[in-house]
Amino acid sequence: MRARIAIGAISLTAALAGSGLVATAGSAQAATGQAAAKGCYVTASSAKVRSKASTSSTTVGIAYKGNRCSEKDVKVIDSGIWYRVKMTTGNAKGKTGWIRSDLLHTSADDTGTCIPEDTSCHS
């Protein structure tokens, strides 16, 4: 019986660690990592980094699949959702501009677990 409890505790600890939750002193708290929470990367084969949140605006750079970025802002307009990003890898590294959400994986795509201690996920 003790072996099952120990295995269950190890499994729970591993599950919490994998989900971004950390067990401390008998309670679970959300891990806060600015880079993890606001990181993004390009999922399309290529994406134009634009000066404004519009397909008709000037291209300031081109990012390719897997290039990483950090989210700065989000804008919802008629043409969809746009993210203002700063590219952190690839040939557009250092460029800041707008990329459509369907070309990116963002922190909004990650599903988190809401726990009572995390007031930020309660309406």
Side-chain angles (χ1 to χ4, degrees):
M1 182 67 159
R2 286 185 185 246
R4 279 192 189 177
I5 292 171
I7 291 171
I10 291 170
S11 297
L12 177 60
T13 303
L16 287 173
S19 69
L21 298 175
V22 179
T24 58
S27 67
Q29 296 178 348
T32 57
Q34 195 69 298
K38 294 293 187 178
C40 56
Y41 59 89
V42 177
T43 56
S45 59
S46 66
K48 292 180 180 178
V49 182
R50 299 197 177 262
S51 60
K52 296 180 183 175
S54 167
T55 56
S56 61
S57 70
T58 306
T59 299
V60 296
I62 297 178
Y64 294 96
K65 188 171 188 165
N67 288 170
R68 297 202 169 275
C69 52
S70 58
E71 299 170 39
K72 300 292 184 188
D73 197 6
V74 63
K75 189 180 280 190
V76 179
I77 55 178
D78 291 338
S79 63
I81 301 170
W82 289 77
Y83 283 91
R84 184 171 169 262
V85 300
K86 180 173 183 178
M87 298 307 301
T88 57
T89 65
N91 62 314
K93 182 177 180 177
K95 302 282 185 181
T96 299
W98 295 87
I99 300 178
R100 267 192 354 245
S101 66
D102 60 325
L103 306 175
L104 289 174
H105 176 93
T106 65
S107 62
D109 298 326
D110 297 330
T111 305
T113 303
C114 187
I115 58 173
E117 292 85 3
D118 186 3
T119 57
S120 67
C121 66
H122 300 288
S123 303

